[in-house]
Amino acid sequence: MARSGGRTLRARLEFASATNARGRHARAAQLFRTILADLEEPTFADDPDNSYAHVRALIGLAISRFEYEGDVDRSLELLEEAQAWVEAHGPEDLQLVVGGQRGLLRLRTGRVVEAVEEMDAAARFIDVAGPLDAAVLLLNRGSLHLELGNLDRAEVDLAEVVRRAEDMGDALLASKAQHNLGYAKYLGGDLPTALRAMEEAERGAPERHASVGLIDKAQVLLEAGLLSDADSTLAEAREHLARNRMVRDVAEVELLRAQCLVGLRRYSEAQRQARAAAVRFDRIGNDPWAARARVAELQARLAEDRSAGVSVGVARRRAARALALADVGAALGEAGGRGVTVPAQLLAAEWLLAAKDPAGAREVLSRVPGHLGRVALPLRLQHQAVAAQLAFATGERGVALRAVRKGQRMMAEHREGLGSVDAVTASAVHGVRLGHVDVAAALRTGRASALLDAVERGRATVAGSGRVVPPSDVESAELLTRARQEIESARLLGANPSGARLERRRAHLSEARRLQEAARRRAWQDGGGAQTPTAVTARRLRSALSTASASTVVADFVVADETLRVLRADASGLSMIRLAPMAEVGERIRRARADLDVLSNGLIPAPMRAAARASLDRSLAWLDREVLAPIDAQGDLHIAARDLLLAVPWSSLPSRTGRRTWVNSWIDLQEATAEQTKPDVVVVAGPGLRAAEAEAMAVALAWESATVLTGEDATCAATVERLPSAAVVHLATHGRHETDNPLFSSLRLADGPLFAHELDGVDLRGAVVVLSACEAGLSTVRIGGEPLGLTSVLLRLGAAAVVSSVAPLRDDVAARVMPEFHGQLRAGATPGEALATAVAHEDEPVPLVCFGPLAV
């Protein structure tokens, strides 16, 4: 009976422990209490497993109760009871288990020094402990070393866990250790490898372990700048955690969400999340993490103050609150105060600057270590931004610029470790504050050269592609092929189906979006290796323009204080011109685009077309008068701009008729090359356009020889395969810009849409790419200011020029303009000159724009 009872106890303990591991903590606690109650029965008095079961049940009850109640004192009491039982009754191998769990509980409540002592003491019993218990202790100690930043020691422990888990055939334990090894890569700054390791660990687990894995993954995404993705990952984690009443992890989710929401500029919501996290951490006695949550609340408050402004008195009060919180962090010690002391000091220093107290800010900043080590990138950048802000405020411009450049080097190092265009452009969000400090100080000097230097060094930090060579990822290719098939299936059901056909269409599009997101997430796991481009300076720009035509003008547009300004440069010098309020400029651009949409529809009645044409002419004339006329560009004009200004049909403005005009999101200064090393001309016609094949043949005739893909030959794979060897690419297709998911903006080919995402990593250096498609020139501006869309991706991949449309393009217009454009190009004209000539005699404005770097 005893042996049978023992087997029953073991099975019940294993079931209760498994229930706890799945996050069902309340149910697990109930099971452990039942086991403890049963052990009091005479039936089990002489059972040899009685001591083992008693200790295991006490440990399980302690941990499960902490997870769903947050009562750390009661949990420690249960562990002390377990320790006393072991000392009195044995078995000795459970010394490791009890000590390890005490250490884990102290780690989970922020008492890391005590946790180290507990776990090191428990490790003395590792040779007599069971294989699983020993591996679990090493896993927890590895997590502790991660918390302390001891990455080498953490990796040793975690690698040993993987070895032991694989020997035991314990897939879940191996998955947890592999996940933590990924977290170690994150702490070491290698975000793509971290995400790849976490993804592999998740696939290797027998079931999803959301309570920790998703939180850690969200933290990596947050540092990568993928804020919306981090927020959605946290929402998924919270649903699991709240359902299983995991108090401590719910609090951590709320804390991380607060940090995401600050970046997303949802300041009030961020403050609410941070306050909720602080309350939960207080409830479980986790003082260090409660203090971190209060820091997060102040960070959201400061971001709101930057946006809305703050009075001197209020700024002083908030600085005092931040300093009090810094003192709390200092009292917690070096380990406990991690994430509290330095961030609170930086907040206090910035509020003191807002309170016109630079001396106070300097004193607070002097307490911050000059080197912050391996702390998160946003905190290191905040340090440099506050240091620069202080130095600018006290007239130490040289010191301030050194701080700005130091921060931008950090950004560059971060960006160079990223592979995908998605991740590179997302990382720009971290440099926003540093850039604002730099540009605001330059604006106060009143010097055009200072402002141009500040604007362009910020823009260059995340410019260029993240990859040197395209990734070879069969799984990503398969995901995108399946997404393409789903979109085609949806298209075949018609644009406006109803009933069952509508539901099927929605299902196809939903599955396509899921597959696209899966491919996008895989791209984050690719490392980089490309160098950050060198930012242009006013001096370099003047030197370059000295060899150009005397009439060449560079116009670098900047929005500051809600007003559009332009930095005008030519061979004679550089000046700054204040233009119109940006709100008014933006309204005119939106009106012009709406009118271009109307004019592109050949079915619109004549009276409506006439009204739209008159409205468009007024908007273009206004933009010409208020934005371009002050620049006085009589010859070539290169425009550097952001946001809505990238959607202006610049070549259609009255003063630019017949004149070379080209556009970019930054001044990418390149040397013009006379030799063309790529020999091919590739012309592709997509389906569904009446004149596409005729246009393709006419374009091909403009060249001595060309590869032409039409009909069933014009597939996505065939097109991408020919791009790297092409000097000129012409794509006559339907185009679609996806505002919410710009990397899946697409061109429709024979087998479905060719996504911008699929081009990431393709070598287009020196190529001229023509997108004879609707809206292919549009971009979505990410938080941080980086434009993203088909055209911007092509430019990041090295294209010398991309000619694309910022509004719908009529078939008949493309059929007339494009052969003329290619004829001019073959005759030796630059892309900007060729486009200006090709559209000069059209009756209506043509929304084609030449995008590209400044080559002089």
Side-chain angles (χ1 to χ4, degrees):
M1 182 69 180
R3 287 194 298 273
S4 175
R7 285 197 297 272
T8 303
L9 276 176
R10 294 272 178 159
R12 289 169 65 189
L13 282 168
E14 288 173 3
F15 179 73
S17 297
T19 302
N20 203 30
R22 288 194 296 270
R24 299 179 60 197
H25 301 300
R27 174 60 177 151
Q30 184 181 21
L31 293 171
F32 285 124
R33 277 193 293 266
T34 302
I35 291 170
L36 286 167
D38 287 349
L39 286 170
E40 300 296 325
E41 297 294 327
T43 307
F44 293 97
D46 297 324
D47 194 313
D49 284 321
N50 186 298
S51 288
Y52 174 88
H54 199 102
V55 174
R56 287 286 188 183
L58 284 169
I59 293 170
L61 181 59
I63 298 306
S64 57
R65 284 193 59 168
F66 170 75
E67 292 292 356
Y68 82 90
E69 289 182 349
D71 189 342
V72 63
D73 292 333
R74 177 55 184 149
S75 295
L76 285 172
E77 287 173 9
L78 288 166
L79 290 176
E80 290 298 333
E81 185 179 341
Q83 177 66 30
W85 186 279
V86 171
E87 291 173 356
H89 305 286
E92 183 186 28
D93 62 320
L94 291 182
Q95 293 273 24
L96 174 142
V97 182
V98 177
Q101 291 297 334
R102 271 207 310 260
L104 178 62
L105 193 58
R106 297 192 191 281
L107 171 60
R108 299 270 286 162
T109 53
R111 291 177 251 184
V112 289
V113 175
E114 296 171 49
V116 171
E117 294 170 353
E118 294 277 13
M119 288 191 186
D120 284 346
R124 291 179 299 164
F125 298 93
I126 203 165
D127 292 334
V128 298
L132 180 59
D133 291 333
V136 168
L137 176 71
L138 291 170
L139 177 68
N140 292 335
R141 192 170 70 173
S143 299
L144 173 58
H145 286 311
L146 291 177
E147 181 78 12
L148 292 170
N150 302 329
L151 303 189
D152 292 340
R153 294 185 65 185
E155 289 180 348
V156 169
D157 276 352
L158 295 169
E160 178 64 13
V161 175
V162 173
R163 187 188 68 77
R164 289 175 181 244
E166 289 175 347
D167 287 346
M168 291 185 288
D170 191 327
L172 178 58
L173 188 62
S175 171
K176 289 180 178 180
Q178 287 166 343
H179 173 91
N180 285 356
L181 283 168
Y183 194 77
K185 293 298 183 186
Y186 154 67
L187 292 176
D190 188 348
L191 273 58
T193 301
L195 287 170
R196 186 162 57 251
M198 289 178 178
E199 194 78 23
E200 290 171 0
E202 186 176 307
R203 285 200 299 268
E207 61 179 87
R208 195 172 185 84
H209 189 252
S211 62
V212 176
L214 290 176
I215 296 175
D216 290 345
K217 185 186 291 187
Q219 196 164 344
V220 180
L221 294 174
L222 176 59
E223 181 139 350
L226 294 156
L227 304 183
S228 296
D229 300 284
D231 193 42
S232 62
T233 300
L234 289 168
E236 182 182 353
R238 194 188 192 288
E239 181 181 353
H240 172 90
L241 298 167
R243 186 169 60 247
N244 291 287
R245 300 178 64 185
M246 299 169 72
V247 177
R248 193 266 180 203
D249 288 324
V250 168
E252 188 171 351
V253 165
E254 289 168 336
L255 170 55
L256 280 174
R257 278 212 74 214
Q259 295 169 352
C260 286
L261 292 167
V262 170
L264 293 169
R265 299 170 187 168
R266 291 154 59 183
Y267 305 128
S268 297
E269 192 178 347
Q271 290 171 62
R272 287 195 299 273
Q273 288 285 309
R275 283 194 294 271
V279 168
R280 292 186 197 275
F281 283 126
D282 280 335
R283 208 167 83 207
I284 62 174
N286 193 331
D287 296 335
W289 280 78
R292 290 188 189 191
R294 292 188 172 91
V295 167
E297 182 185 352
L298 291 185
Q299 286 170 332
R301 176 71 70 181
L302 177 60
E304 188 174 46
D305 286 349
R306 290 183 193 133
S307 174
V310 61
S311 69
V312 168
V314 171
R316 285 190 178 281
R317 288 195 296 274
R318 289 182 179 158
R321 184 180 170 194
L323 287 173
L325 196 50
D327 290 340
V328 169
L332 290 167
E334 181 180 352
R338 192 185 305 272
V340 178
T341 309
V342 170
Q345 289 168 338
L346 294 176
L347 291 168
E350 189 166 341
W351 263 315
L352 287 168
L353 286 171
K356 314 298 183 188
D357 184 4
R362 187 184 300 279
E363 191 279 324
V364 172
L365 204 57
S366 69
R367 306 179 206 169
V368 179
H371 179 65
L372 295 180
R374 286 174 168 159
V375 302
L377 175 68
L379 184 63
R380 287 183 281 134
L381 291 173
Q382 185 185 5
H383 183 203
Q384 299 309 314
V386 176
Q389 194 177 354
L390 172 62
F392 281 131
T394 55
E396 301 169 280
R397 186 167 176 79
V399 173
L401 290 178
R402 284 195 291 275
V404 168
R405 293 188 181 106
K406 185 175 180 179
Q408 288 173 339
R409 283 195 299 272
M410 293 175 185
M411 277 288 297
E413 289 169 5
H414 172 80
R415 166 247 187 274
E416 287 164 13
L418 304 173
S420 70
V421 166
D422 192 17
V424 168
T425 53
S427 68
V429 69
H430 295 315
V432 169
R433 179 59 188 161
L434 190 68
H436 283 172
V437 169
D438 193 14
V439 168
L443 198 58
R444 288 194 296 271
T445 68
R447 291 187 287 115
S449 59
L451 185 56
L452 186 141
D453 289 355
V455 167
E456 290 303 318
R457 63 173 157 251
R459 290 176 178 174
T461 305
V462 290
S465 176
R467 272 188 250 270
V468 178
V469 294
S472 178
D473 187 343
V474 175
E475 186 169 337
S476 285
E478 173 63 21
L479 288 167
L480 292 173
T481 298
R482 289 165 55 198
R484 188 167 16 257
Q485 292 167 350
E486 293 288 344
I487 290 172
E488 279 298 282
S489 297
R491 185 183 63 80
L492 292 173
L493 291 169
N496 297 297
S498 59
R501 289 171 66 86
L502 176 60
E503 290 304 312
R504 285 165 53 202
R505 185 175 187 274
R506 287 173 176 168
H508 284 306
L509 293 177
S510 176
E511 178 63 7
R513 183 60 180 260
R514 186 191 69 78
L515 293 164
Q516 289 171 343
E517 283 301 303
R520 179 170 167 259
R521 288 194 298 271
R522 285 188 66 82
W524 301 337
Q525 301 169 21
D526 296 320
Q531 296 297 308
T532 301
T534 301
V536 72
T537 63
R539 180 176 297 178
R540 281 186 62 221
L541 181 59
R542 284 196 299 268
S543 176
L545 290 173
S546 68
T547 62
S549 165
S551 61
T552 298
V553 172
V554 173
D556 196 354
F557 287 97
V558 183
V559 179
D561 302 326
E562 301 181 353
T563 300
L564 183 64
R565 292 172 170 80
V566 65
L567 300 165
R568 182 194 187 280
D570 62 14
S572 64
L574 176 66
S575 60
M576 177 166 51
I577 305 168
R578 186 183 180 100
L579 301 173
M582 188 59 209
E584 191 170 358
V585 175
E587 178 58 29
R588 299 287 180 165
I589 295 171
R590 282 186 283 268
R591 284 187 201 172
R593 290 202 62 250
D595 292 331
L596 285 166
D597 287 349
V598 173
L599 292 174
S600 70
N601 189 340
L603 301 178
I604 295 294
M608 289 183 64
R609 289 186 63 82
R613 175 62 191 273
S615 173
L616 176 62
D617 287 346
R618 287 193 297 273
S619 294
L620 295 181
W622 188 94
L623 290 168
D624 206 26
R625 182 176 67 253
E626 300 297 329
V627 176
L628 277 192
I631 298 171
D632 189 27
Q634 301 301 317
D636 291 350
L637 174 62
H638 176 67
I639 292 167
R642 291 292 178 99
D643 300 342
L644 272 174
L645 293 167
L646 290 174
V648 174
W650 294 100
S651 296
S652 296
L653 269 59
S655 68
R656 300 309 302 164
T657 300
R659 293 173 173 171
R660 180 189 182 199
T661 309
W662 71 115
V663 184
N664 204 357
S665 62
W666 62 300
I667 302 178
D668 182 7
L669 185 57
Q670 298 183 0
E671 293 183 6
T673 56
E675 296 184 7
Q676 179 52 259
T677 58
K678 295 182 176 183
D680 296 345
V681 175
V682 176
V683 183
V684 182
L689 292 174
R690 293 191 308 274
E693 290 199 13
E695 178 187 326
M697 294 305 175
V699 167
L701 286 173
W703 296 92
E704 191 170 306
S705 64
T707 299
V708 181
L709 300 176
T710 61
E712 294 182 358
D713 294 331
T715 65
C716 297
T719 301
V720 173
E721 180 183 354
R722 286 163 174 78
L723 291 181
S725 63
V728 176
V729 179
H730 183 93
L731 297 161
T733 71
H734 278 295
R736 181 180 179 86
H737 176 69
E738 295 286 351
T739 302
D740 296 332
N741 202 6
L743 275 176
F744 289 96
S745 298
S746 60
L747 300 169
R748 187 177 159 217
L749 298 179
D751 54 342
L754 173 65
F755 305 117
H757 180 93
E758 294 178 86
L759 303 175
D760 197 357
V762 175
D763 183 1
L764 291 175
R765 283 173 293 183
V768 175
V769 183
V770 182
L771 303 179
S772 184
C774 295
E775 299 186 341
L778 293 179
S779 58
T780 296
V781 179
R782 305 193 77 154
I783 295 175
E786 290 303 301
L788 198 56
L790 268 166
T791 293
S792 69
V793 168
L794 293 169
L795 290 172
R796 283 179 175 272
L797 298 175
V802 178
V803 174
S804 55
S805 181
V806 295
L809 182 66
R810 286 209 323 263
D811 290 357
D812 62 311
V813 174
R816 289 193 301 272
V817 166
M818 290 306 177
E820 173 71 10
F821 169 83
H822 283 276
Q824 294 289 328
L825 198 62
R826 189 187 174 196
T830 66
E833 291 168 337
L835 181 62
T837 301
V839 302
H841 301 297
E842 287 294 311
D843 292 336
E844 291 183 352
V846 179
L848 287 167
V849 176
C850 180
F851 295 91
L854 175 60
V856 293

